[in-house]
Amino acid sequence: MIRSSEGIEIGASLAEWCDPRRMALVVYDMQIGICRQVAGAAAIIERTGTVLEAARAAGMRVAFTRHLSLPLKWMGATQLRTAMAWQRRDDPDAIEPWFPRDAEATGIVPELEPRPDEAVFDKLTMSAFDSTALGFALHDCGVRAVALAGIAMEIGIEPTVRQATDNGFVAVVIEDACGFGNREARDRSMATLRFLGEAVITDVAGFRGALADAG
């Protein structure tokens, strides 16, 4: 760790951030109904599973996020506009809530089923830090960094990564374990994250190696 004159510690390597005392893994929206919509989801499930296995073996805290749809009566202008865009509808009364709380589509894919000691945060927003207690829980446990894998980079992972910084966390993007719906949009997201320079970008092999070095 690099230390400032005020005693602030800054990780100088990925392995230092990957210390399970400092980092949690966030598995973003790996839901049945979302994975069904994304080409190449099977590969992302497999890679996320590899990441998840490594984090569990290291004793790292793991959190899952799930995107929810509220009942129509509770959908306001923002939620309706988003649903209309996703479902390509011009009439707000024609949209259908895709992810009700107890629907099969809302559940995490069976290959990545959360364990009893792993947190699941339900959200209405794209960023995992909005409308959830994720930030509070991480701070409360003394976590300073989050590693991210899941779907989709251009929709929810990029805003989560950027808001992680605003909430005082270092974000580690496991790039080849992050799926996407649109490659051009995904590439723009990654270009933005690289340009800003706040996030640490690695791949599955790099994350596993850093965990081994941290141990």
Side-chain angles (χ1 to χ4, degrees):
M1 284 280 177
I2 300 171
R3 288 178 175 82
S4 75
S5 60
E6 299 295 332
I8 303 298
E9 292 185 335
I10 304 169
S13 69
L14 178 58
E16 288 172 341
W17 287 119
C18 283
D19 184 332
R21 295 170 297 180
R22 296 189 180 95
M23 174 178 278
L25 172 66
V26 176
V27 179
Y28 186 94
D29 288 11
M30 291 298 287
Q31 296 164 245
I32 293 170
I34 291 176
C35 289
R36 285 173 179 166
Q37 299 178 52
V38 174
I44 299 302
I45 292 171
E46 181 178 357
R47 291 175 196 144
T48 300
T50 300
V51 168
L52 183 59
E53 180 182 350
R56 286 169 170 170
M60 184 176 288
R61 290 179 178 87
V62 175
F64 293 79
T65 67
R66 301 193 313 169
H67 192 82
L68 292 190
S69 301
L70 289 181
L72 283 173
K73 192 175 185 67
W74 276 93
M75 281 193 177
T78 301
Q79 295 173 76
L80 287 171
R81 288 185 69 249
T82 299
M84 289 165 65
W86 285 3
Q87 298 180 26
R88 296 180 174 82
R89 302 287 178 86
D90 295 326
D91 180 0
D93 293 326
I95 69 115
E96 300 176 15
W98 280 355
F99 301 108
R101 182 179 297 276
D102 296 324
E104 179 197 15
T106 307
I108 304 297
V109 294
E111 297 91 331
L112 307 176
E113 183 176 0
R115 293 179 176 178
D117 65 347
E118 295 169 347
V120 179
F121 294 92
D122 290 339
K123 60 185 180 59
L124 302 175
T125 53
M126 299 301 106
S127 169
F129 287 99
D130 273 327
S131 72
T132 77
L134 175 62
F136 167 80
L138 293 170
H139 281 301
D140 203 35
C141 290
V143 172
R144 297 179 56 196
V146 290
L148 289 112
I151 295 173
M153 170 56 70
E154 74 277 23
I155 294 176
I157 295 177
E158 181 197 348
T160 297
V161 169
R162 297 185 67 177
Q163 198 168 2
T165 300
D166 291 343
N167 280 272
F169 301 103
V170 171
V172 175
V173 179
I174 307 173
E175 185 173 5
D176 57 346
C178 292
F180 54 88
N182 181 283
R183 177 171 287 278
E184 291 182 358
R186 175 263 184 203
D187 290 348
R188 287 194 296 269
S189 291
M190 290 305 305
T192 296
L193 295 179
R194 287 190 164 94
F195 172 76
L196 291 172
E198 297 167 336
V200 178
I201 299 172
T202 187
D203 56 16
V204 173
F207 179 74
R208 294 178 70 192
L211 276 178
D213 291 341

